[in-house]
Amino acid sequence: MRLQPRADKIVVLPLPRIKSSIIEVVMSENDNMGTVVAAGPGKWNKKGKLEPTPVSVGDLVRFGTMGRDEYLKYSEYVEDDVKYLIMSWQDICFVQDAA
């Protein structure tokens, strides 16, 4: 991947949603989980101190979608037919524990 995020931005590779094999469902929702593949160094605060990005490469994260009433926003980036999402780390709802 050729992207190197700046400040508090991260790049997430979304995990595809799995359809149920038992019940026929309509999958109209956007992806909301993924793996962090790149993270910026952090953001400078008003006192001139760098506040590092609290997520790191390899973290499995859940994020909001771009629904009409949701405040979490991200942009899509496609490279070599692979879709990535560019967002602020603050758009992450939680990081899943590896254990």
Side-chain angles (χ1 to χ4, degrees), residues 57-98:
V57 173
D59 284 349
L60 181 61
V61 296
R62 186 174 297 264
F63 48 90
T65 59
M66 294 192 296
R68 205 171 26 143
D69 300 328
E70 294 190 46
Y71 64 93
L72 302 173
K73 305 290 182 208
Y74 52 81
S75 57
E76 294 182 359
Y77 171 76
V78 178
E79 182 178 301
D80 299 327
D81 294 328
V82 178
K83 180 175 81 170
Y84 298 97
L85 305 175
I86 303 169
M87 63 184 72
S88 171
W89 74 263
Q90 295 162 333
D91 291 339
I92 300 296
C93 298
F94 65 83
V95 177
Q96 184 168 329
D97 190 7

